[in-house]
Amino acid sequence: MKSRFILTYVIIILGLASCFDQGSKETENTSKEAFTVYLVRHAEKADSSQDPDLTSEGMTRSTDLTTVLKSANIDMIHSTDFTRTMKTAQPTSDYFKITISKYDHKKLPALAEYIKDNGGIHLVVGHS
């Protein structure tokens, strides 16, 4: 079950890679810092309303995410401003004592640029 959790919820760099790769050497050379991104989809939501809470299983998974990421030394946590994403990120935020930075899910290239320019180890909690 834990390996399913890791495979289902934690994808390293793949989700944002397309935002970073513009196919030119200029893009490769503009990155100021090395970075790692843990891209996570929100845990199980309670219903299909516009801004649902997490189910009890979803809350457990958000805590499990913290366990998986304990050795990752997360520098920044980014989440969309929805209950399900914020609550998925919250246990990891509490563990690392990091404030969750909200991002606009309609402006992913801006988030990608921010991560690329600032480097570090990032947890990004989003949707699909």
Side-chain angles (χ1 to χ4, degrees):
M1 186 68 164
K2 194 166 207 166
S3 65
R4 180 175 177 257
F5 171 77
I6 293 169
L7 292 173
T8 303
Y9 290 97
V10 180
I11 303 171
I12 302 171
I13 208 82
L14 298 178
L16 292 176
S18 63
C19 295
F20 300 137
D21 185 12
Q22 300 297 318
S24 73
K25 289 187 178 188
E26 180 182 326
T27 301
E28 292 173 10
N29 292 333
T30 59
S31 179
K32 296 178 184 175
E33 303 277 340
F35 60 87
T36 300
V37 177
Y38 293 90
L39 181 60
V40 178
R41 186 172 190 269
H42 62 79
E44 291 84 353
K45 58 185 181 175
D47 56 54
S48 60
S49 64
Q50 187 172 350
D51 192 18
D53 207 339
L54 295 179
T55 63
S56 60
E57 185 179 42
M59 292 302 293
T60 299
R61 287 204 193 276
S62 66
T63 302
D64 290 346
L65 176 62
T66 303
T67 302
V68 170
L69 295 176
K70 277 185 178 179
S71 64
N73 297 318
I74 301 294
D75 295 313
M76 291 200 68
I77 299 173
H78 312 274
S79 174
T80 57
D81 192 16
F82 289 92
T83 301
R84 61 193 176 273
T85 53
M86 293 295 287
K87 286 193 172 183
T88 300
Q90 193 62 57
T92 304
S93 170
D94 293 343
Y95 178 80
F96 286 106
K97 296 178 178 41
I98 297 172
T99 301
I100 299 170
S101 172
K102 296 176 187 173
Y103 73 93
D104 184 341
H105 67 282
K106 295 177 182 177
K107 297 179 181 178
L108 286 176
L111 175 62
E113 284 299 317
Y114 175 84
I115 292 170
K116 184 175 72 171
D117 289 346
N118 290 283
I121 303 171
H122 300 257
L123 169 62
V124 178
V125 183
H127 303 273
S128 55

